[in-house]
Amino acid sequence: KQWYQRRVRGVKVVEEDRKLLPFVGLFHLGENVNVFREGSLVLQNPSGAPSLVHKTILYGSANGAIGIIGCIDKALFDLLHQLQESLASVVTSIGCIPHSKWREFQNDRQKAPTTGFIDGDLIEKFLDLPRSEMSKICTDMFYDFDGTGMKREGTVEDLIKLIEDLARIH
């Protein structure tokens, strides 16, 4: 039910690191995952542009859910994290459980906030918002939306296109 990701600290792995690698990501999924496979649900990026997500891993849960985990660059992660934080304060969840509480990592030994993951389900809820709410959320979101290497403030259309492109990977 809980996601955690660990990374080796360098090329040389000491015996202590084999026993306990540092956490680089924590996420509560709410499902019991029983299979992981490297791969993708789509053959290629439909637009022909370079893919925003790479090194994808599919997972399947005991309840029949299928999901995807992928790597994104830091600039995109930062933008999506900012968007996720904004959406979490606007979108009402079922049972009125705050998003940060729902996705909080917890096991027998520790309880910690989500780190290193973007919740795609929450990000896609941006597309369901009224246009006026989308405009408020877009304020102060800077990213290289054009692929020119220059960051600029995003528009509603920029974010819609980005989210739709990301949604196509599943």
Side-chain angles (χ1 to χ4, degrees):
K1 284 190 173 190
Q2 309 293 330
W3 284 105
Y4 60 91
Q5 180 182 9
R6 292 182 177 233
R7 181 181 307 154
V8 177
R9 289 190 188 142
V11 177
K12 206 172 189 183
V13 179
V14 293
E15 192 58 36
E16 289 177 17
D17 283 342
R18 288 179 199 255
K19 294 177 184 173
L20 184 62
L21 297 173
F23 284 107
V24 294
L26 301 166
F27 188 79
H28 170 75
L29 182 63
E31 295 276 342
N32 289 314
V33 175
N34 58 4
V35 65
F36 288 97
R37 293 285 184 266
E38 189 176 342
S40 175
L41 295 175
V42 294
L43 294 176
Q44 63 183 5
N45 189 346
S47 67
S51 181
L52 297 168
V53 181
H54 56 280
K55 296 182 183 177
T56 55
I57 297 174
L58 300 170
Y59 65 84
S61 78
N63 295 330
I66 298 172
I68 188 168
I69 303 169
C71 295
I72 56 177
D73 67 34
K74 181 167 178 11
L76 180 57
F77 180 88
D78 291 344
L79 173 75
L80 293 175
H81 188 265
Q82 183 182 357
L83 178 59
Q84 179 175 277
E85 294 296 312
S86 296
L87 286 168
S89 65
V90 173
V91 174
T92 307
S93 64
I94 296 173
C96 295
I97 301 169
H99 181 264
S100 59
K101 203 71 169 157
W102 164 244
R103 292 301 188 194
E104 184 177 74
F105 178 86
Q106 184 175 354
N107 64 16
D108 295 339
R109 288 183 241 133
Q110 71 175 1
K111 187 176 186 178
T114 296
T115 57
F117 285 91
I118 298 295
D119 185 347
D121 292 335
L122 180 60
I123 295 295
E124 287 182 16
K125 289 185 183 198
F126 178 81
L127 302 174
D128 299 331
L129 294 175
R131 197 86 168 167
S132 60
E133 200 66 42
M134 288 179 174
S135 295
K136 289 179 195 172
I137 290 174
C138 285
T139 319
D140 295 327
M141 296 229 176
F142 290 86
Y143 182 69
D144 178 16
F145 290 98
D146 307 317
T148 61
M150 299 294 292
K151 286 186 177 183
R152 65 173 175 78
E153 189 170 23
T155 64
V156 170
E157 289 75 23
D158 290 328
L159 281 177
I160 288 172
K161 182 183 180 314
L162 177 66
I163 294 167
E164 287 176 344
D165 286 348
L166 287 168
R168 284 188 189 100
I169 67 167
H170 67 79

